[in-house]
Amino acid sequence: MAGYDHREIDPKWQRTWREQGTFATSAERQKPKYYVLDMFPYPSGAGLHVGHPKGYVATDVVARAKRMMGFNVLRVMGWDSFGLPTERQAVREGRPPAEITARNVARFKEQLENLGLSYDWSRELATSDPEYYRWTQWIFLKLYEKGLAYQAEVPVNWCPALGTVLANEEVQDGKYVETGDPVERRMMKQWMLRITEYAERLLQGLDDLDWPEGIKEMQRHWIGRSEGAEIEFAVAPGPDQPEGPERIQVFTTRPDTLFGCTYVVLAPEHELVERITTAEQRAAVEAYRAEVAQRSERDRLSDAADADKTGVATGAYAINPVNGARVPIWIADYVLAGYGTGAVFACPAHDERDHVFARTFGLPIVEVVAGGDTAEAAYVGDGAHVNSDFLDGLDIAAAKKRIVAFLEENECGRGTVQYRLRDWLFSRQRYWGEPFPIIELEDGSIKPLPESALPVALPTLDEYKPTDDGRPPLARAESWVTTTDPDTGAPARRETNTMPQWAGSCWYYLRFISPRLDSAAWDPDEERYWMPVDLYVGGAEHATLHLLYSRFWHQVLYDLGLVSTPEPFQRLFNQGMIHRTSYRDAAGKYYYAEDVEERDGQMVVKDSGVEVSARLEKMSKSKYNVVNPDDMCAEYGADALRLYELFMGPLDDGSEWETAGVAGTRRFLDRVWRLAVDPDTDGPAAKLTDQTVDNKDMERALHAAIKKVSEGVESLRFNTAISEMMVFANEATKAEAVPRAWLELFVRVLAPFAPHLGEELWRRLGHRDSVCDADWPAYDEAKLAVDTITLAVQVNGKLRGTIEVPAEVSKEDALAAAKADDKVAKFLDGKTMRREIYVPGRLVNLVVG
């Protein structure tokens, strides 16, 4: 049957919204506010696929509904536009990254506008705009002034092919996850941010946030708070340590097992390794260190629990501070230089990892907590201490207290708290990132630039690769690098590293508040009004990086009195991913769905006959299983796509893409259209009336839809809300007459989901203003009541019939009606009634014998 013409209606209303500034943020500050924010995208050259808009459409429904509910809504979009992918694309195309970024942004923006998303585009921003990163540099200066930014020689993941440092999360199995290029470990001077100073604050702040518990737990694990002791082991004197005794600081959460220590392990990168290794072991140690240098810390962490253990003895020994025992010092890849002190003492009897290591290398295993066969496996439960001198007989808790007291009394250790979280490596050897507002003077000292010198803009380059001698791309701009101290005029050189992509995304939610303000990063009064973000929606993959870094920066800004809230994002919601079948051959090559077919029960490539396997995977351009939203909008209309994105299932669940589902939501919208518009005349539908109609089923469906949608706006459970709207549309379609007033109420709750159709129907129903400006309808609880209900009737647990009874039926009347039903009565004849069960509103079960 005929429906609406989305090819005319969609662009018409998008143009109207744009020309009339429908979604411009109100300057009114007396209303309650609602700040709804999407995690802004990185604008890649590939554009959007239908998996991307799922969260954007959800927040759009909330934003539109909240406006109608009387809230002042901040709804904005921008671009996380710095980053290595654009730089690589610039190298391939021989074009400036800024030009590529502008092209990609234009493509993304066009696609988002085609979806009818209600962004205030006057507040659009991009992290690569100098007027934006001027303030990113300003925040860095604040971090530097507070002692939270510093330089250090640290082990990094160096990718020779790209000439840059990579984060641990970008490296797997010794290779860059994006390109497969080999990665090696190097010591380099890097900018670091002292996020560890905020570890406890970041941990405690999670308690008051309305975030998914899984995300909070991931952050807690990433921060990794551990209570224990720091213990000092002296290195035993030897011919290779002529300078006197070295000391090893070890952190442990089990100081009570110190009497069971049979060896000490250092991280291969530990600064003492070079000094304490004996001549006999030096070659083996150096070879092992070179091998470990090829692996990222992430890989080493993931492998730490595996059965196979590797390591090399240094030839040196340490002295156990509680009993004076000499224990060998080893190096092993499961100990990381950046976690704790980069050294551990091993008690293989009561640590599974140490136990495997000890058995692999034939090291002693000494039981110190009774309760298991420690010769066969580590015992990690509680029990009385044994072989532990003054700890014997104590349980773990008591033994911990006693040993910490001993260590502190004898000045060889102390109780302490450690965190797995490490300081944030903040340097990148790239061009397309924020320059540091730092200069180096002739004497080698560094100096921050004054705020008046900001922004430190990126210079124009002809080539974006690192220099031939391995320096960052910015080193090519010698005239830019060579500068002077603005205070003294003395010669100076600029920093040639740039900030990581995370920098700009750490604070963009604040710049959206005052994006065109030139005198400050944000207006303090506006910040006090809008913050915190009320609803933040994005992927769960950002749990431990972007979200943690943003919280860190925000807490620093809070301590400096620059923001009014201790946390940036009050409520967080993670939308589920959209999956679609992909086709891959045995070599790992992917193929488009249209290029494969089934032959004799096997999927093969049409042209070559190569066998492929079908699997359901996350929608991704690299897997050749994407669907372009432009195609869906062109064929079915933006509103049908929007509805399907939210109708597939709960918003936080993963879903399988089926294009037929978009056709289904389009049929629903066409039914709604025909309730108001005659498809033959394009005039009002014949059943549309201004008269009162007595149709309790339709009225009940209307109020049920209003209630469910209203609740869905708060809970983000949109699939069930759409189902209730479909119920109303079905009831109205069956009805002989539909009151105009009822249809107007329905259009108001439909409009946030299907805004183009909503605006057109609102106009067709006689309104000259936008449906966005209409009040949100209220439902009447009394109208939701039903006169009768259907009860299932079972005899001995088997369904034998159904009965219609009054909604408020008593148990006695329900049982009587069930027994009187003809279909049921024949199963009762001649039987003795054993039990009568009534489940209110659902069923009657009669047990007979």
Side-chain angles (χ1 to χ4, degrees):
M1 296 179 67
Y4 71 100
D5 184 358
H6 64 270
R7 290 164 296 188
E8 175 187 340
I9 288 175
D10 288 6
K12 166 188 172 182
W13 287 106
Q14 289 166 16
R15 184 172 57 252
T16 300
W17 295 328
R18 189 165 49 247
E19 292 173 352
Q20 296 183 359
T22 303
F23 308 122
T25 307
S26 171
E28 210 255 81
R29 293 295 175 263
Q30 301 307 309
K31 291 182 178 180
K33 65 92 179 179
Y34 197 84
Y35 188 174
V36 55
L37 184 63
D38 300 303
M39 292 185 186
F40 66 169
Y42 169 75
S44 69
L48 298 171
H49 59 65
V50 294
H52 293 119
K54 185 176 180 180
Y56 303 157
V57 173
T59 52
D60 201 59
V61 170
V62 173
R64 288 173 176 272
K66 288 290 185 179
R67 285 191 189 97
M68 297 171 73
M69 292 175 181
F71 286 84
N72 198 6
V73 174
L74 184 58
R75 168 79 168 147
V76 282
M77 176 53 73
W79 316 104
D80 192 10
S81 49
F82 270 136
L84 184 58
T86 298
E87 189 167 319
R88 292 207 310 264
Q89 194 173 353
V91 172
R92 288 195 299 269
E93 296 187 20
R95 297 176 181 274
E99 180 181 320
I100 291 170
T101 296
R103 182 183 70 199
N104 293 349
V105 163
R107 173 73 179 128
F108 264 63
K109 185 175 180 179
E110 177 188 27
Q111 289 184 293
L112 293 178
E113 288 186 312
N114 287 343
L115 290 167
L117 300 170
S118 59
Y119 295 121
D120 178 357
W121 286 109
S122 71
R123 292 176 178 249
E124 179 184 10
L125 57 80
T127 58
S128 57
D129 182 342
E131 286 307 306
Y132 179 89
Y133 69 72
R134 162 194 181 186
W135 298 109
T136 307
Q137 293 169 338
W138 174 77
I139 295 174
F140 176 83
L141 290 177
K142 297 299 179 186
L143 293 164
Y144 184 83
E145 292 168 8
K146 194 171 168 58
L148 297 171
Y150 65 98
Q151 286 184 308
E153 288 278 343
V154 295
V156 298
N157 302 311
W158 174 257
C159 180
L162 298 174
T164 191
V165 167
L166 301 173
N168 283 329
E169 293 72 28
E170 297 174 301
V171 181
Q172 191 165 1
D173 299 327
K175 296 178 181 179
Y176 179 33
V177 293
E178 292 288 333
T179 63
D181 291 314
V183 175
E184 61 189 45
R185 298 287 283 175
R186 283 189 185 179
M187 297 297 294
M188 294 181 67
K189 181 181 283 189
Q190 301 284 290
W191 278 101
M192 309 289 293
L193 296 187
R194 216 179 298 273
I195 190 173
T196 50
E197 291 290 316
Y198 279 73
E200 190 63 29
R201 287 265 300 277
L202 291 168
L203 197 61
Q204 297 301 322
L206 291 168
D207 294 341
D208 298 325
L209 298 180
D210 182 9
W211 286 20
E213 192 56 39
I215 297 294
K216 293 202 283 189
E217 196 54 40
M218 288 172 70
Q219 288 212 357
R220 291 186 185 109
H221 178 75
W222 193 265
I223 295 167
R225 188 181 193 274
S226 300
E227 293 187 8
E230 199 168 84
I231 304 169
E232 187 176 90
F233 282 73
V235 178
D240 297 300
Q241 290 93 45
E243 300 301 322
E246 299 280 3
R247 299 195 176 274
I248 300 173
Q249 298 294 329
V250 169
F251 172 76
T252 178
T253 59
R254 290 293 305 275
D256 60 295
T257 63
L258 194 51
F259 282 96
C261 169
T262 58
Y263 61 98
V264 169
V265 186
L266 303 182
E269 308 88 352
H270 197 290
E271 61 179 1
L272 285 181
V273 174
E274 186 70 28
R275 300 201 295 272
I276 68 173
T277 300
T278 63
E280 294 81 4
Q281 288 297 111
R282 187 163 299 281
V285 166
E286 289 179 353
Y288 184 73
R289 295 178 80 186
E291 176 189 333
V292 173
Q294 305 304 312
R295 304 176 62 218
S296 72
E297 289 191 357
R298 181 182 180 183
D299 288 344
R300 287 163 60 184
L301 275 173
S302 64
D303 293 343
D306 292 348
D308 295 336
K309 290 290 179 289
T310 65
V312 174
T314 65
Y317 288 80
I319 305 300
N320 189 328
V322 295
N323 59 12
R326 283 166 52 95
V327 294
I329 302 172
W330 287 65
I331 62 171
D333 61 355
Y334 70 82
V335 179
L336 305 177
Y339 177 59
T341 63
V344 300
F345 83 76
C347 178
H350 304 291
D351 182 280
E352 293 172 350
R353 180 187 57 186
D354 295 343
H355 193 278
V356 174
F357 192 94
R359 295 192 65 176
T360 300
F361 294 102
L363 296 165
I365 298 173
V366 177
E367 179 186 40
V368 291
V369 180
D373 183 2
T374 57
E376 295 300 320
Y379 175 66
V380 296
D382 205 348
H385 279 64
V386 296
N387 303 318
S388 298
D389 198 342
F390 56 85
L391 300 182
D392 284 350
L394 300 178
D395 63 13
I396 290 177
K400 282 184 177 180
K401 292 180 181 178
R402 180 68 188 89
I403 193 67
V404 168
F406 171 88
L407 293 170
E408 292 177 346
E409 288 167 8
N410 290 273
E411 298 183 350
C412 55
R414 62 187 180 89
T416 188
V417 174
Q418 289 276 5
Y419 300 90
R420 182 180 293 109
L421 181 69
R422 280 158 282 166
D423 282 347
W424 178 7
L425 195 155
F426 200 67
S427 294
R428 295 294 185 271
Q429 290 65 47
R430 303 170 183 167
Y431 169 78
W432 197 231
E434 298 91 344
F436 284 93
I438 296 289
I439 55 174
E440 182 178 338
L441 304 179
E442 286 186 305
D443 62 2
S445 62
I446 59 173
K447 182 177 180 178
L449 290 170
E451 293 179 16
S452 59
L454 306 182
V456 178
L458 284 167
T460 301
L461 295 183
D462 295 326
E463 192 172 356
Y464 304 101
K465 295 180 179 179
T467 63
D468 293 338
D469 57 1
R471 290 178 296 154
L474 284 178
R476 294 180 178 277
E478 184 59 36
S479 61
W480 178 84
V481 173
T482 303
T483 186
T484 58
D485 182 337
D487 295 327
T488 66
R493 295 182 66 80
R494 295 191 191 277
E495 168 68 74
T496 55
N497 287 329
T498 53
M499 300 183 199
Q501 187 175 356
W502 310 108
S505 62
C506 272
W507 72 282
Y508 73 110
Y509 57 91
L510 289 167
R511 187 59 177 169
F512 274 135
I513 292 171
S514 314
R516 304 293 172 255
L517 186 64
D518 186 59
S519 58
W522 54 83
D523 181 290
D525 291 335
E526 289 289 275
E527 184 276 330
R528 280 189 289 274
Y529 175 74
W530 285 114
M531 288 300 293
V533 174
D534 296 282
L535 175 63
Y536 194 33
V537 175
E541 65 271 18
H542 299 293
T544 55
L545 295 174
H546 160 62
L547 288 171
L548 195 63
Y549 295 158
S550 292
R551 294 182 61 223
F552 165 49
W553 277 34
H554 195 87
Q555 289 182 5
V556 174
L557 295 171
Y558 180 73
D559 287 349
L560 293 171
L562 296 170
V563 295
S564 60
T565 65
E567 291 282 347
F569 314 118
Q570 183 55 37
R571 184 184 181 191
L572 173 72
F573 194 94
N574 303 125
Q575 81 276 11
M577 293 180 178
I578 292 182
H579 301 77
R580 191 177 182 226
T581 301
S582 66
Y583 299 91
R584 188 172 69 172
D585 65 20
K589 181 180 178 181
Y590 284 92
Y591 298 85
Y592 291 108
E594 55 267 28
D595 294 332
V596 302
E597 63 183 5
E598 185 177 351
R599 295 180 193 166
D600 301 323
Q602 172 65 51
M603 300 303 296
V604 299
V605 180
K606 291 178 182 178
D607 295 339
S608 65
V610 171
E611 292 186 356
V612 295
S613 60
R615 64 186 68 196
L616 195 63
E617 295 190 90
K618 171 190 171 184
M619 196 173 282
S620 169
K621 182 186 176 185
S622 65
K623 294 178 173 60
Y624 289 22
N625 65 343
V626 300
V627 174
N628 191 327
D630 298 348
D631 297 337
M632 296 296 99
C633 289
E635 185 170 357
Y636 300 105
D639 290 346
L641 174 59
R642 287 170 60 110
L643 271 178
Y644 178 62
E645 294 267 0
L646 302 181
F647 189 53
M648 282 190 281
L651 185 63
D652 51 352
D653 282 0
S655 307
E656 181 179 0
W657 177 266
E658 294 287 351
T659 299
V662 188
T665 53
R666 174 55 195 250
R667 288 193 294 272
F668 159 64
L669 294 175
D670 284 338
R671 284 200 303 277
V672 174
W673 173 258
R674 291 191 294 271
L675 295 176
V677 180
D678 187 317
D680 297 323
T681 66
D682 200 41
K687 65 166 59 181
L688 197 62
T689 178
D690 291 320
Q691 303 299 314
T692 300
V693 172
D694 183 15
N695 186 329
K696 286 185 169 51
D697 289 339
M698 180 167 53
E699 187 177 30
R700 185 182 305 112
L702 172 63
H703 286 268
I706 296 171
K707 179 180 181 180
K708 187 63 82 170
V709 173
S710 300
E711 292 172 346
V713 169
E714 303 301 329
S715 67
L716 304 184
R717 299 296 177 188
F718 296 121
N719 56 320
T720 54
I722 294 170
S723 294
E724 288 293 345
M725 289 192 286
M726 290 178 171
V727 171
F728 170 78
N730 290 338
E731 290 293 339
T733 299
K734 291 187 300 184
E736 294 182 0
V738 177
R740 182 186 301 273
W742 289 5
L743 189 57
E744 288 183 355
L745 291 175
F746 179 72
V747 168
R748 289 191 224 171
V749 296
L750 174 67
F753 295 83
H756 307 88
L757 180 63
E759 290 281 19
E760 186 66 21
L761 289 176
W762 192 245
R763 183 63 54 88
R764 297 281 188 133
L765 290 169
H767 299 275
R768 308 322 304 168
D769 57 344
S770 170
V771 70
C772 298
D773 298 325
D775 292 334
W776 188 256
Y779 61 90
D780 185 342
E781 195 71 47
K783 298 291 175 59
L784 296 173
V786 292
D787 297 328
T788 62
I789 57 175
T790 301
L791 297 179
V793 181
Q794 299 175 342
V795 177
N796 291 343
K798 294 184 178 180
L799 181 65
R800 298 304 187 186
T802 58
I803 56 174
E804 290 289 323
V805 296
E808 303 300 324
V809 66
S810 67
K811 176 180 179 180
E812 292 74 17
D813 290 344
L815 292 171
K819 295 175 198 176
D821 184 79
D822 291 340
K823 293 181 180 179
V824 176
K826 63 183 180 181
F827 293 99
L828 305 179
D829 288 346
K831 306 288 177 63
T832 301
M833 190 67 64
R834 304 287 191 191
R835 193 177 177 193
E836 299 174 342
I837 302 169
Y838 174 53
V839 180
R842 293 180 57 195
L843 62 84
V844 170
N845 185 19
L846 304 172
V847 181
V848 298

